[in-house]
Amino acid sequence: MARKKAATSRISRPIWKGHVTFGLVQIPVVLHSAESRYDLHFHLVDSRDHARIRYERINEATGEEVPWNEIVKAFEYDENNYVVLGDEDFKRAAAEATQSIEIEEFVDVSEISPMYFDRPYFLMPGKKGEKGYALLRDGLARTGKTGVARVVIRTREHLSALMVQGSALVLILLRFAQELRDPAELGLPEVDVKKTGLAPKERDMAVQLIESMSGEWTPAKYRDEYREKLMKWIEKKARSGGTMPTPEPEEEEAEPGRIINITDLLQQSLRRKGKSETGRTRMQRSAPKRRRAG
């Protein structure tokens, strides 16, 4: 319960206040983070007495420690050649804080590749902004559109997508096109099926397997199992005073020189899926029927 309360308190703290603008319409809104991060943070300590390890700011040429007031930011434009930048330099390049989410156009949600989505935020209506908020939310829901907008958060301009999620307006920061690599650089297999050497039987079985494993997207059923297992082990080790031996991970020995046959793997997967479905049906049939009340 304590963790849930902590997450709620983070969401309730506004990050940014301003307006959503499209055309001549201005809607006062408040921006809240839509993430609840539960990352585990670790410290480096001395194994002998568990004292924290601290980092020092060392001049690599003299080997001496450098005080904070002598440290500046610099960009290496050529090898070992730097341009020093001060606060005024960053202010010149910083975007003007307009306190507005300016929608430039509306597009279909399906047109934006998931690769562009970065970080989500909730938008809440500001003072006297409830009607405008509801108007924009209703319009986006009825048209199936998302607003492509620019917003300045902490002196940096972001591209963003404004869309409807249930009863909320959600602002998702987007990556710019130049931030994404071109997949052509990766030497991926050909798209042409004939050139890949895929047999029609393999393609049909792949589709059959995908359809048999298809279901509705339910995000709540997927949990961070690694974090949960690690946290349980940390708590167990803490209760024992840190004296428990670390278990050795089990490693599967790979068969050297084994050739993988995709057709065989598809067939085995379909048979295994068929058996699990048959077993589930039998359990449903053998389950006792409930009598109706009354």
Side-chain angles (χ1 to χ4, degrees), residues 15-16 119 121 152-156 158:
I15 293 173
W16 179 94
R119 181 172 297 176
Y121 292 92
V152 177
I153 302 175
R154 300 189 182 100
T155 73
R156 182 184 170 186
H158 298 270

Side-chain angles (χ1 to χ4, degrees), residues 2 86 96 105 126 139 143 161 179 263:
E96 183 182 353
E105 61 178 340
T143 60
E179 295 180 271
T263 304

Side-chain angles (χ1 to χ4, degrees), residues 183 186-192 195-196:
L186 306 177
L188 301 174
E190 292 281 351
V191 177
D192 190 337
K195 292 182 180 180
T196 59

Side-chain angles (χ1 to χ4, degrees), residues 9 17 23 25 29 48 62 69-71 85 93 96 98 144 166 169 188 204 211 221 223 261 273 284 290:
S9 65
K17 293 182 179 180
V25 179
V29 291
R48 296 166 294 185
T62 64
N69 62 346
E70 296 293 341
I71 296 176
L85 299 172
E96 183 182 353
T98 59
L169 284 175
L188 301 174
D204 292 341
E211 289 178 345
K221 73 180 180 182
R223 302 182 62 83
N261 188 308
K273 185 65 180 176
Q284 291 172 349
R290 295 181 180 177

Side-chain angles (χ1 to χ4, degrees), residues 167-178:
S167 60
L169 284 175
V170 179
L171 185 79
I172 303 180
L173 300 188
L174 300 175
R175 297 179 177 91
F176 287 101
Q178 63 265 33

Side-chain angles (χ1 to χ4, degrees), residues 144-159:
K145 299 288 186 179
T146 183
V148 178
R150 293 180 184 269
V151 58
V152 177
I153 302 175
R154 300 189 182 100
T155 73
R156 182 184 170 186
E157 186 180 59
H158 298 270
L159 189 65

Side-chain angles (χ1 to χ4, degrees), residues 16-22 25-31 99-101 123-134 136 169:
W16 179 94
K17 293 182 179 180
H19 295 79
V20 173
T21 65
F22 62 106
V25 179
Q26 285 197 347
I27 306 167
V29 291
V30 181
L31 194 70
Q99 295 304 111
S100 66
I101 300 170
L123 278 177
M124 291 180 60
K127 189 176 181 181
K128 297 182 179 180
E130 291 83 0
K131 186 174 181 179
Y133 185 96
L136 179 57
L169 284 175

Side-chain angles (χ1 to χ4, degrees), residues 27-264:
I27 306 167
V29 291
V30 181
L31 194 70
H32 292 257
S33 175
E35 291 181 294
S36 292
R37 302 191 66 88
Y38 293 101
D39 295 335
L40 297 178
H41 299 282
F42 299 95
H43 299 288
L44 295 179
V45 299
D46 191 321
S47 62
R48 296 166 294 185
D49 58 5
H50 290 184
R52 288 278 299 275
I53 304 298
R54 301 293 181 182
Y55 293 95
E56 293 182 343
R57 303 172 300 278
I58 301 297
N59 182 315
E60 65 177 17
T62 64
E64 297 177 355
E65 186 172 357
V66 182
W68 275 115
N69 62 346
E70 296 293 341
I71 296 176
V72 295
K73 292 181 179 179
F75 179 80
E76 187 177 16
Y77 69 92
D78 198 2
E79 188 174 359
N80 295 325
N81 290 316
Y82 296 88
V83 173
V84 175
L85 299 172
D87 292 340
E88 291 301 319
D89 297 308
F90 287 103
K91 287 179 182 178
R92 287 175 63 88
E96 183 182 353
T98 59
Q99 295 304 111
S100 66
I101 300 170
E102 300 177 10
I103 299 176
E104 297 188 355
E105 61 178 340
F106 294 94
V107 301
D108 290 336
V109 178
S110 59
E111 292 182 16
I112 305 176
S113 167
M115 296 282 286
Y116 286 93
F117 292 116
D118 188 11
R119 181 172 297 176
Y121 292 92
F122 286 125
L123 278 177
M124 291 180 60
K127 189 176 181 181
K128 297 182 179 180
E130 291 83 0
K131 186 174 181 179
Y133 185 96
L135 179 70
L136 179 57
R137 182 184 60 193
D138 179 70
L140 291 175
R142 291 176 64 186
T143 60
K145 299 288 186 179
T146 183
V148 178
R150 293 180 184 269
V151 58
V152 177
I153 302 175
R154 300 189 182 100
T155 73
R156 182 184 170 186
E157 186 180 59
H158 298 270
L159 189 65
S160 61
L162 200 156
M163 58 184 64
V164 176
Q165 182 73 39
S167 60
L169 284 175
V170 179
L171 185 79
I172 303 180
L173 300 188
L174 300 175
R175 297 179 177 91
F176 287 101
Q178 63 265 33
E179 295 180 271
L180 295 174
R181 292 183 61 187
D182 186 347
E185 303 171 7
L186 306 177
L188 301 174
E190 292 281 351
V191 177
D192 190 337
V193 176
K194 293 180 180 179
K195 292 182 180 180
T196 59
L198 289 174
K201 182 181 178 181
E202 292 172 334
R203 297 176 63 199
D204 292 341
M205 283 193 294
V207 171
Q208 187 180 348
L209 180 59
I210 291 170
E211 289 178 345
S212 68
M213 295 177 63
S214 296
E216 292 185 2
W217 166 238
T218 310
K221 73 180 180 182
Y222 300 99
R223 302 182 62 83
D224 187 349
E225 295 179 1
Y226 170 78
R227 184 192 183 281
E228 291 176 354
K229 287 179 181 178
L230 182 58
M231 201 63 225
K232 284 181 181 178
W233 177 252
I234 290 172
E235 291 169 355
K236 191 175 181 180
K237 199 166 184 178
R239 287 195 298 268
S240 69
T243 58
M244 295 178 64
T246 303
E248 293 291 332
E250 297 180 2
E251 295 185 2
E252 295 183 3
E253 294 185 4
E255 297 181 27
R258 184 184 177 188
I259 298 175
I260 298 174
N261 188 308
I262 294 179
T263 304
D264 290 343

